[in-house]
Amino acid sequence: MTDHHTNRRRILLAVGVAAVAAVADTAMAQSTEIRGTVDFEGGAKIPQGEIEIYSEDSALPNETRHPTAQTQVKSDGGAKTIAFSFSPPASVGPLQIIARLEREDGWLLARGSAISKTGSPVSITLNTVMY
């Protein structure tokens, strides 16, 4: 009877270890980066300039939001879509991902944003800024 209980414990321990390993593999397989693409309104080529892409915690009031993580990518004026990725900050709420296209002289040309959903790529369309 002791052998039966010992074997049962070994089986339960093995199942538990396998379950923990499966969860760890799944967590490691999921990317911790925010990934996505930027395109331009109407499917046009993205104008030449620097695209600053950053996140803000959308759970915070607008007046207290500030960029929490960011990256920059260049547009040579020939691409219709540009990919990006960056590491997200620790956040309690969903993140708003904002993209700003500026000319070399700092003039804002276009802006767009999207809400990031965990594990899903973000798609941002830049819209021309009117002055």
Side-chain angles (χ1 to χ4, degrees):
M1 185 125 154
T2 305
D3 283 336
H4 175 70
H5 288 293
T6 302
N7 287 339
R8 185 174 177 194
R9 283 188 193 126
R10 285 184 185 159
I11 290 170
L12 289 173
L13 180 61
V15 169
V17 169
V20 169
V23 169
D25 284 346
T26 301
M28 290 185 78
Q30 292 177 350
S31 175
T32 59
E33 289 192 326
I34 293 175
R35 296 180 184 275
T37 56
V38 176
D39 60 18
F40 201 71
E41 63 184 339
K45 291 180 181 176
I46 300 171
Q48 185 174 356
E50 184 84 21
I51 304 172
E52 180 183 11
I53 304 164
Y54 58 95
S55 64
E56 290 182 346
D57 189 338
S58 61
L60 297 173
N62 283 341
E63 59 274 359
T64 61
R65 288 185 192 174
H66 55 79
T68 54
Q70 66 182 28
T71 189
Q72 292 182 342
V73 293
K74 289 197 180 283
S75 171
D76 63 5
K80 289 188 176 187
T81 302
I82 296 177
F84 68 88
S85 69
F86 62 94
S87 297
S91 174
V92 293
L95 293 174
Q96 182 174 22
I97 311 302
I98 300 161
R100 294 172 44 95
L101 172 63
E102 295 181 1
R103 289 191 320 206
E104 191 174 299
D105 62 5
W107 191 262
L108 181 63
L109 298 175
R111 184 182 185 285
S113 67
I115 299 295
S116 173
K117 296 180 178 119
T118 305
S120 298
V122 177
S123 178
I124 300 173
T125 298
L126 293 169
N127 296 295
T128 303
V129 176
M130 301 292 188
Y131 287 101

